[in-house]
Amino acid sequence: MLKIGIVGANGYSGAELIRLLARHPKAELEMLISHRTKGTMLTAQYPHFQHIAEAELEDMAPDEILNRVDVLFFATPSGVAKDWIPCFLEKGLKCIDLSGDFRLDNGEAYRRWYRREPAAQNYLDKAVYGLSEMNAFRIKYAQLIANPGCFPTAALLGVLPAISGGLIDPSFIAIDGKTGVSGAGRNPSLGNLFAEVNENTGAYKVGIHQHTPEIERFIKEFGEQEAKVTFIPHLVPMTRGILCTIYAPLAKKVTTEEVRQYYKEVYKGRKFVRIKPAGSFPSTKEVYASNYCDIGVYADERTGRLTIISAIDNLVKGASGQAVQNMNLLFGLAEHEGLDAVPVYP
């Protein structure tokens, strides 16, 4: 049994890790760490864990962590993991970071987009990007996994086959992203009050969202193409889910069915990516509380553009589910272990 530690266990991503790992056949929750709510019971923060995960939240104690866990998840806001992970890496502990601290390999880019001081360059170089379907081989041999952001997961899984297959011109890629309120985390703020969000939809961080350089970096790394994407996120009045609608000019004449078949071939054997039937497109309800990414495509012969629509649950495939998927790869387990939940509908 893998002994699991979770830093930031009191947040939404931390709670999702607990939910998923509590039923994982090869994992045992050993340490649940939260500096802000240390000394309280997990069930005081999340009553739904009664009789499931009744543990006390602990403070960060590096020496104790090293003695008690096999892998440490950081489900913390950006700016926390970069200060703690290096000391664990030096002691040989495997870490999976759900924040953005190690997703960019350029410290200046991190400083610009996250407006924080970056981790040291040698640790940025050590991190392996955890987009499971595209980077499984490197993940298996990693010590530090930089779990992808929620928007980049949906966007990259949607657009990368079109780029690698030469189906689109990468000089213009527009990504319209929509997310539920849980993506903002559990700390209250004006922007996620019910009265502000309900019956309201709006764009935010236009042109400055920190996921933009992450998307561009891994289009280049996995798709071997330079791209400057236009990425506009929107907040919609739902709890969880991400829908990305991606537009790009076709690079050659293809039909929708040819694109569909190509996508099916790319993701053949990849359990958690589902290509929709012709004429059908994904919705967030269809992946709710699951680790699936659903993708639909449409090649518009009239305009010469390809439309790609991808849907994920931002807290599962966009965060904690993919982190567990990466843990499975890291420790040689079946990739689907603990992640076989059927989406919740309606």
Side-chain angles (χ1 to χ4, degrees):
M1 297 290 283
L2 292 172
K3 302 286 188 180
I4 307 297
I6 301 172
V7 182
N10 62 327
Y12 287 144
S13 293
E16 280 294 278
L17 280 170
I18 295 166
R19 181 178 73 87
L20 296 169
L21 291 167
R23 62 185 294 274
H24 195 294
K26 304 289 175 56
E28 181 178 341
L29 294 167
E30 175 64 25
M31 291 188 75
L32 304 181
I33 299 159
S34 169
H35 178 73
R36 186 167 58 86
T37 55
K38 62 181 181 294
T40 66
M41 294 297 293
L42 175 66
T43 49
Q45 307 297 321
Y46 293 102
H48 69 291
F49 284 128
Q50 186 176 5
H51 301 320
I52 298 168
E54 297 192 352
E56 183 176 316
L57 296 171
E58 304 182 41
D59 201 1
M60 177 72 86
D63 291 339
E64 193 170 345
I65 290 169
L66 289 165
N67 290 329
R68 288 173 57 185
V69 309
D70 299 307
V71 59
L72 187 62
F73 291 88
F74 276 79
T76 53
S78 295
V80 175
K82 68 182 179 64
D83 294 332
W84 284 103
I85 281 180
C87 75
F88 295 112
L89 296 183
E90 295 304 322
K91 299 293 185 180
L93 185 64
K94 295 180 185 294
C95 296
I96 300 175
D97 178 33
L98 279 71
S99 80
D101 285 359
F102 296 94
R103 295 175 190 156
L104 304 180
D105 60 355
N106 183 298
E108 283 303 315
Y110 179 89
R111 187 178 288 110
R112 174 190 169 192
W113 290 90
Y114 284 83
R115 300 183 182 181
R116 303 176 185 275
E117 287 303 304
Q121 188 63 47
N122 58 316
Y123 296 110
L124 297 179
D125 294 339
K126 187 184 287 283
V128 172
Y129 192 62
L131 190 62
S132 308
E133 281 73 21
M134 297 293 175
N135 214 20
F137 180 80
R138 290 192 64 206
I139 291 166
K140 291 177 183 179
Y141 299 98
Q143 187 187 2
L144 169 59
I145 294 174
N147 219 59
C150 48
F151 278 121
T153 295
L156 289 168
L157 290 176
V159 78
L160 280 172
I163 292 173
S164 61
L167 303 178
I168 60 172
D169 177 357
S171 65
F172 177 81
I173 298 173
I175 304 169
D176 177 310
K178 297 178 177 65
T179 183
V181 185
S182 62
R186 204 179 193 202
N187 288 333
S189 68
L190 179 64
N192 58 20
L193 293 176
F194 178 82
E196 302 285 331
V197 175
N198 186 47
E199 298 181 1
N200 191 22
T201 299
Y204 66 99
K205 289 190 177 180
V206 174
I208 59 171
H209 198 284
Q210 68 273 15
H211 287 169
T212 304
E214 181 181 342
I215 295 169
E216 291 179 348
R217 177 191 173 189
F218 290 101
I219 284 177
K220 182 177 181 180
E221 185 162 321
F222 297 131
E224 299 181 343
Q225 296 276 357
E226 293 276 359
K228 295 293 184 185
V229 304
T230 298
F231 167 55
I232 308 297
H234 301 76
L235 183 64
V236 298
M238 63 184 183
T239 300
R240 59 202 294 168
I242 278 181
L243 189 78
C244 279
T245 304
I246 305 162
Y247 310 92
L250 285 163
K252 59 185 179 181
K253 189 172 182 178
V254 289
T255 66
T256 297
E257 187 56 26
E258 287 172 332
V259 177
R260 279 190 66 253
Q261 291 303 323
Y262 180 74
Y263 269 65
K264 288 180 71 174
E265 186 62 29
V266 168
Y267 288 119
K268 186 177 181 180
R270 308 305 304 186
K271 177 181 175 64
F272 294 116
V273 178
R274 305 186 299 189
I275 308 304
K276 299 289 287 184
S280 177
F281 298 93
S283 67
T284 57
K285 249 333 179 194
E286 294 167 6
V287 295
Y288 196 95
S290 81
N291 200 51
Y292 289 106
C293 174
D294 286 0
I295 299 174
V297 296
Y298 177 66
D300 190 336
E301 297 179 27
R302 184 181 68 85
T303 62
R305 298 189 188 100
L306 180 64
T307 300
I308 308 156
I309 303 174
S310 59
I312 63 171
D313 185 307
N314 60 295
L315 294 177
V316 189
K317 185 59 173 171
S320 303
Q322 187 158 220
V324 172
Q325 190 176 352
N326 286 328
M327 180 196 78
N328 290 338
L329 290 167
L330 188 60
F331 287 94
L333 306 176
E335 196 169 339
H336 65 273
E337 292 268 28
L339 295 169
D340 279 329
V342 175
V344 175
Y345 199 100

